[in-house]
Amino acid sequence: MGKRRAGRELLRSLSKKQKKHLREFGEEHPFYDKVSGRPEATQICELSEDSDKSSAESDSETEVEQVSGYHRLLATLKTSPESESEEEEDESESEEAEESEAEMDSEGFQGAGVAEGGEEDENDVPEEEEATDTAEQMLSQEQADGTDTSCDPRHGVIEEFTDVKHESEFSLETNFMEEESGDCNADRKDSSSSQALPEDPFKQHMDKELEEKEIEKMSTLPKTSSQSQWPRLGQVIFSSTLEKQKPLKADKEVDVKQLHLHKPLESTWPNVNKQFLSAVDKPTDSSFTPLQRELFCIMNSYRDLFYPESNALTNGEEIRHAYCLHALNHVLKANAQVLSNNAKRRDRKPGTDTDDHRDQGLTRPKVLMIVPFRECALRIVHIFISLLEVNDKKKIDVSNKKRFKGEFGSDPEEKPPNLKRPEDYEAVFAGNIDDHFRIGVAILQKSMRLYAPFYSSDIIIASPLGIRTVIGAEGEKKRDFDFLSSIEILIIDQADIYLMQNWEHVLHLMKHINLLPLDSHGVDFSRVRMLNLNNWSKYYRQTLLFSALQDPQINSIFNKHCFNYIGQVAIRNVPLTGSISHVVVQLPHVFRRLEADSVTSMIDARFQFFIDKVLPEYRDAIMSHTLIYVPSYFDYVRLRNYFKKEDLNFTHICEYTKKAAVCRARRFFLKGEKQFLLFTERFHFYKRYTIKGIRNLIFYELPTYSHFYSEICNMLKATDSGVDATWTCTVLYSKYDAQKLAAVVGIDRTAQMLQSKKNEAKSNLKGAKRVYSKTPDTGVSILSGTLLSEK
């Protein structure tokens, strides 16, 4: 605070012209320098021997930072007195100066304690140095306390840097290729020797200049699609609007040199990915698994990708390594291009102006990673560090690593003991499962900066809720989404979990990505690519979407919010067997079809069908112990209000129900004191409790996760009452539930159940009895047709 207070007093002593020049150029005009006859004393600052080395070691951010010689030199300057006539301006001018002063102060302006001109007053030097040291100590104390000022919504996204001393070190504008790589000639040799190889996909994608005709064609014409069968991915569908697209084929073997990986990644990737490689893999293809090989082939072509078979239990970590390699490879190439052009601009002859160095976006962030939990962000950062460390001797400097481990790590003792949960539950909810976070990461080849401000970051890792609180809503004072303007790669991992959190946050993000920024944020427009200036960033953005299931809401994100000019790739494998084959109890499964004119009218049609056709059959006291499984929370509230209005004997459990109320509801349902139990899907997703006493099941809608169907059905065996013959299961479905239905009963059965109305009416007229078929493995009775219409 001493530094800022001194800065404010010095700024108030400046004249109007001085303040205006200070706002525009950061320093006072040399005309106002007061010339003294005697030479000014020069202050000599002794620097330590290892001052040129990076001090960004991960576990040392709690120490007091050393003040640089540059800041000490600035602290010795003092303002020169000006005439009182210039200071006595009207009130409007003074208010404007105070506002500009507050703006510079809020932006972390380090020149606040600096004044131009005047002789050096040696008596003031220790006081200024003490103020500077106090500010540095306070900054270090904030880091030690773990205060995240860089992404706290109360402070905004760009309030103050958490580690000011690393700002110049990670600035792309003040670094050069020679300083970063250490051997620019080696890079030139690599580039010259790689001329025989195919063109780098990064340059091919980013250097492509679209025309306005092509943009109009992409926004008006429909996409043409083609499909092919790949060995590991299965049915792959390619879609694109622009013509003359080269077909993409699966490579049986991948040569690391042909992938155009950045220099350190070629040697580190095989070691990092060693844990997923089996002994069956060929020696010539020892760096990628079959799944990673085909996925990375699509990623490296910069096409949009939708892979709906990512499972945290089986291949989730394997896929995470693949897209982390692609994201880091993209960032290193983009930063290397900027640093190389910096050296070229520095060495060019004075007076020459060139437009060949357009290598940046309107803002620095290039990659946005959306993940559900802090544990996922922790694993991503660990993968980045492993990929950048060539060997144990060449460790990279990671700033704020200790703080990152404390905030994103987990305590093993926090896990409740003696809780038996399915394996997929343990895989999804491993580690720190906090879903409100965001962190900026700045990356250079030999160093990484965690907790970097968004506008100084290369990669932003966030949850949907964390990024939503920064973007804000329309009408809010503190909101910012300019940092999303130049995102080149968007990675949405585990998209199915966001359906259980809040899908509106994902939709809100997609509406605010790749928009023109409201402020310039200090960008050099001579270095900005024309695609960004033309507001065509969304046509160059690559979107990688990974999910554990196919859902209409996830499909809409991929179809309506992805505009990559190269095209899209979607994996569309049809489930041959459904999750119904995993039901171990023997009970009849009755699927009742309802009709609606549109998806929007389906909500009301389902509710009306339930209260008119289904609920009257279960009101009898004989049909007690009935559990009603409701996937949507809005449907749950509607049913709960209706049950209260009709004064039905029921209890309810949702994701917001307190633990004591949950225990009470489970006990009432088990003893039969409550006839109905309303049960939400989100509660089952987050808790996975076993509900005892179920005799009748009603699926108000097919579950989002297909394996939830078998899990709920298998809860019937938890009852030891021996009334297996009275068990029933009723499922409501419509033609708009084709994907969910296929995941439950299989594609062949789905085709029969979703037959046209005409054929259905004919089959119903032939006989008035239900058609059942026994599955050979489990003996489960399945209704292959629909019930007779009650019209």
Side-chain angles (χ1 to χ4, degrees):
M1 294 301 293
K3 182 178 178 181
R4 285 192 176 182
R5 190 178 296 108
R8 292 194 183 113
E9 294 176 358
L10 292 174
L11 279 176
R12 292 193 185 98
S13 64
L14 297 179
S15 66
K16 171 188 169 184
K17 294 182 180 180
Q18 287 176 308
K19 291 177 180 179
K20 181 178 180 182
H21 195 280
L22 183 63
R23 290 197 307 270
E24 295 179 353
F25 302 98
E27 61 182 359
E28 188 184 8
H29 197 280
F31 176 80
Y32 297 101
D33 291 348
K34 187 174 180 180
V35 182
S36 176
R38 63 180 179 84
E40 295 182 0
T42 304
Q43 182 179 1
I44 301 177
C45 300
E46 297 183 0
L47 302 178
S48 59
E49 298 179 357
D50 56 346
S51 61
D52 56 338
K53 299 181 181 179
S54 174
S55 57
E57 184 60 34
S58 57
D59 299 337
S60 62
E61 63 267 18
T62 56
E63 299 178 1
V64 179
E65 298 178 359
Q66 299 295 331
V67 183
S68 64
Y70 175 70
H71 286 92
R72 293 193 180 190
L73 180 61
L74 291 179
T76 60
L77 301 179
K78 181 181 179 182
T79 183
S80 60
E82 289 292 332
S83 61
E84 297 180 359
S85 60
E86 292 182 353
E87 295 181 4
E88 296 177 354
E89 301 291 342
D90 51 43
E91 296 181 359
S92 61
E93 297 293 341
S94 61
E95 291 176 359
E96 179 182 357
E98 290 178 0
E99 292 177 0
S100 63
E101 175 189 340
E103 289 176 2
M104 289 185 290
D105 193 18
S106 65
E107 292 175 0
F109 179 65
Q110 296 300 319
V114 180
E116 271 64 41
E119 296 182 358
E120 184 181 54
D121 191 348
E122 296 179 359
N123 296 329
D124 292 338
V125 172
E127 183 179 354
E128 296 291 341
E129 290 181 0
E130 182 180 358
T132 305
D133 292 339
T134 304
E136 297 291 341
Q137 292 175 3
M138 291 178 61
L139 183 61
S140 300
Q141 185 63 30
E142 288 181 359
Q143 297 180 27
D145 295 340
T147 306
D148 189 0
T149 59
S150 64
C151 54
D152 191 345
R154 296 174 298 177
H155 302 280
V157 182
I158 53 173
E159 279 293 335
E160 287 192 17
F161 301 139
T162 52
D163 51 352
V164 182
K165 69 173 184 176
H166 297 136
E167 182 61 24
S168 59
E169 178 184 345
F170 285 88
S171 175
L172 293 180
E173 291 76 11
T174 58
N175 281 278
F176 302 96
M177 177 63 75
E178 293 85 355
E179 298 177 5
E180 176 58 25
S181 64
D183 189 5
C184 184
N185 297 327
D187 293 335
R188 292 176 181 174
K189 291 179 182 179
D190 292 342
S191 60
S192 60
S193 61
S194 63
Q195 292 180 356
L197 297 175
E199 187 178 359
D200 188 353
F202 168 78
K203 295 182 179 179
Q204 187 177 1
H205 177 63
M206 301 305 298
D207 295 345
K208 169 74 174 179
E209 295 184 3
L210 295 176
E211 300 179 357
E212 293 186 4
K213 295 181 180 179
E214 295 176 321
I215 298 297
E216 294 177 0
K217 183 186 297 185
M218 294 174 61
S219 57
T220 56
L221 297 181
K223 298 177 182 178
T224 58
S225 59
S226 61
Q227 63 182 20
S228 62
Q229 193 74 17
W230 284 30
R232 180 61 180 82
L233 294 180
Q235 187 177 6
V236 182
I237 298 179
F238 301 88
S239 59
S240 175
T241 304
L242 300 182
E243 300 177 357
K244 298 180 180 179
Q245 292 292 333
K246 297 180 180 179
L248 188 64
K249 296 182 180 180
D251 297 331
K252 296 181 179 180
E253 296 181 2
V254 176
D255 187 3
V256 180
K257 295 182 179 179
Q258 294 181 355
L259 295 176
H260 297 275
L261 295 179
H262 202 260
K263 191 175 181 180
L265 302 181
E266 293 184 359
S267 56
T268 58
W269 169 249
N271 295 329
V272 174
N273 199 48
K274 189 188 305 181
Q275 54 180 319
F276 304 105
L277 301 175
S278 60
V280 235
D281 294 330
K282 299 180 181 178
T284 56
D285 186 23
S286 58
S287 57
F288 289 89
T289 64
L291 176 62
Q292 289 176 335
R293 184 195 312 120
E294 298 182 7
L295 287 177
F296 193 81
C297 178
I298 300 174
M299 295 180 194
N300 204 36
S301 66
Y302 281 90
R303 290 175 168 87
D304 292 338
L305 172 63
F306 176 36
Y307 183 68
E309 300 177 9
S310 174
N311 192 304
L313 181 61
T314 56
N315 57 9
E317 199 67 23
E318 182 181 354
I319 295 173
R320 180 178 289 122
H321 277 67
Y323 70 66
C324 284
L325 172 65
H326 177 61
L328 189 59
N329 186 42
H330 178 86
V331 168
L332 291 178
K333 287 181 180 179
N335 289 351
Q337 186 181 25
V338 174
L339 299 179
S340 177
N341 288 338
N342 288 346
K344 294 178 182 178
R345 288 168 63 92
R346 180 191 60 181
D347 298 338
R348 70 183 180 185
K349 297 180 180 179
T352 59
D353 191 12
T354 177
D355 199 39
D356 297 336
H357 303 313
R358 294 191 174 272
D359 49 16
Q360 302 177 16
L362 291 169
T363 52
R364 180 172 174 178
K366 310 170 186 64
V367 178
L368 175 62
M369 292 183 167
I370 302 298
V371 290
F373 304 118
R374 286 182 181 260
E375 175 68 19
C376 304
L378 178 70
R379 297 183 182 184
I380 288 175
V381 172
H382 285 170
I383 295 173
F384 286 159
I385 296 175
S386 302
L387 288 173
L388 291 174
E389 290 180 345
V390 180
N391 49 48
D392 295 337
K393 297 181 180 179
K394 295 184 179 180
K395 294 283 187 180
I396 66 168
D397 294 325
V398 182
S399 63
N400 300 321
K401 187 176 181 181
K402 183 178 181 180
R403 172 186 168 189
F404 176 74
K405 288 182 178 179
E407 294 183 1
F408 285 78
S410 61
D411 188 1
E413 298 180 357
E414 294 180 358
K415 184 179 179 181
N418 302 327
L419 286 181
K420 295 182 179 180
R421 294 291 183 266
E423 293 182 354
D424 63 299
Y425 179 90
E426 299 290 345
V428 170
F429 294 99
N432 192 335
I433 58 172
D434 179 34
D435 62 349
H436 187 190
F437 64 90
R438 52 191 177 273
I439 182 173
V441 182
I443 294 178
L444 294 181
Q445 186 171 337
K446 298 178 182 179
S447 54
M448 176 186 297
R449 179 187 180 196
L450 302 177
Y451 294 100
F454 280 179
Y455 291 95
S456 301
S457 303
D458 297 303
I459 300 175
I460 297 175
I461 309 173
S463 65
L465 177 59
I467 206 74
R468 173 67 172 81
T469 53
V470 178
I471 296 175
E474 187 175 355
E476 294 182 2
K477 294 183 179 179
K478 291 185 178 181
R479 59 180 311 216
D480 188 11
F481 49 86
D482 287 354
F483 58 90
L484 300 173
S485 61
S486 300
I487 294 296
E488 297 165 1
I489 297 180
L490 171 63
I491 301 175
I492 303 179
D493 194 11
Q494 295 178 278
D496 53 286
I497 296 182
Y498 311 139
L499 297 173
M500 301 292 114
Q501 293 178 345
N502 195 333
W503 187 251
E504 292 295 328
H505 296 337
V506 180
L507 298 178
H508 195 73
L509 166 64
M510 301 306 296
K511 293 177 182 177
H512 290 82
I513 196 170
N514 292 128
L515 300 179
L516 285 176
L518 302 178
D519 298 324
S520 61
H521 301 284
V523 67
D524 183 2
F525 286 96
S526 64
R527 302 285 296 272
V528 179
R529 299 186 184 94
M530 293 306 299
L531 67 95
N532 299 102
L533 297 177
N534 292 333
N535 196 20
W536 292 349
S537 301
K538 65 179 181 180
Y539 299 107
Y540 287 80
R541 185 191 76 232
Q542 181 188 27
T543 304
L544 305 178
L545 187 58
F546 301 98
S547 171
L549 51 90
Q550 295 194 28
D551 188 85
Q553 298 183 80
I554 302 177
N555 293 338
S556 66
I557 288 290
F558 190 70
N559 296 330
K560 296 181 180 180
H561 296 276
C562 298
F563 309 94
N564 197 337
Y565 76 89
I566 299 183
Q568 299 176 330
V569 180
I571 314 302
R572 304 290 187 187
N573 292 322
V574 179
L576 300 179
T577 59
S579 63
I580 198 172
S581 60
H582 297 104
V583 178
V584 296
V585 296
Q586 188 169 358
L587 76 159
H589 300 257
V590 181
F591 289 79
R592 305 186 66 167
R593 178 172 175 173
L594 53 104
E595 301 295 339
D597 298 333
S598 62
V599 180
T600 55
S601 62
M602 176 54 60
I603 299 175
D604 294 332
R606 188 184 304 275
F607 176 75
Q608 203 63 35
F609 184 86
F610 176 79
I611 63 177
D612 293 342
K613 309 295 182 182
V614 180
L615 189 57
E617 300 177 1
Y618 290 86
R619 283 199 173 191
D620 196 332
I622 302 177
M623 307 296 290
S624 61
H625 298 273
T626 300
L627 183 140
I628 305 175
Y629 182 90
V630 188
S632 172
Y633 180 77
F634 301 104
D635 291 334
Y636 160 80
V637 173
R638 191 175 188 179
L639 290 174
R640 183 191 63 188
N641 295 340
Y642 177 80
F643 276 39
K644 288 182 178 180
K645 180 181 177 181
E646 295 294 324
D647 198 18
L648 295 178
N649 185 21
F650 81 104
T651 185
H652 51 88
I653 298 176
C654 70
E655 57 271 23
Y656 303 110
T657 307
K658 295 182 179 180
K659 188 174 182 179
V662 171
C663 296
R664 187 164 54 250
R666 294 175 65 188
R667 183 176 68 254
F668 288 162
F669 183 73
L670 175 61
K671 293 183 178 181
E673 298 179 12
K674 299 294 182 180
Q675 182 178 357
F676 296 97
L677 172 61
L678 294 179
F679 189 78
T680 61
E681 184 175 62
R682 283 185 179 178
F683 178 83
H684 184 66
F685 175 79
Y686 284 106
K687 299 298 182 181
R688 298 292 181 92
Y689 286 176
T690 299
I691 306 299
K692 297 181 179 181
I694 305 175
R695 298 180 186 176
N696 304 288
L697 265 177
I698 300 177
F699 285 91
Y700 187 78
E701 187 180 357
L702 284 165
T704 304
Y705 290 89
S706 59
H707 63 275
F708 283 2
Y709 184 87
S710 57
E711 286 185 9
I712 299 296
C713 290
N714 290 333
M715 287 182 184
L716 276 72
K717 70 177 181 179
T719 306
D720 300 329
S721 57
V723 288
D724 300 3
T726 61
W727 288 345
T728 64
C729 178
T730 302
V731 185
L732 306 185
Y733 76 98
S734 68
K735 61 181 180 181
Y736 302 106
D737 300 325
Q739 291 180 336
K740 296 180 180 179
L741 188 61
V744 172
V745 301
I747 186 60
D748 295 333
R749 186 77 59 182
T750 302
Q752 300 175 13
M753 299 170 66
L754 295 179
Q755 57 186 339
S756 64
K757 268 188 174 183
K758 186 175 180 181
N759 294 336
E760 187 176 307
K762 288 183 179 179
S763 62
N764 288 336
L765 289 175
K766 291 181 179 179
K769 59 181 181 180
R770 303 173 183 178
V771 182
Y772 288 90
S773 62
K774 292 280 187 175
T775 54
D777 297 332
T778 61
V780 179
S781 299
I782 306 174
L783 180 64
S784 60
T786 57
L787 291 181
L788 287 174
S789 176
E790 286 85 353
K791 294 182 180 179

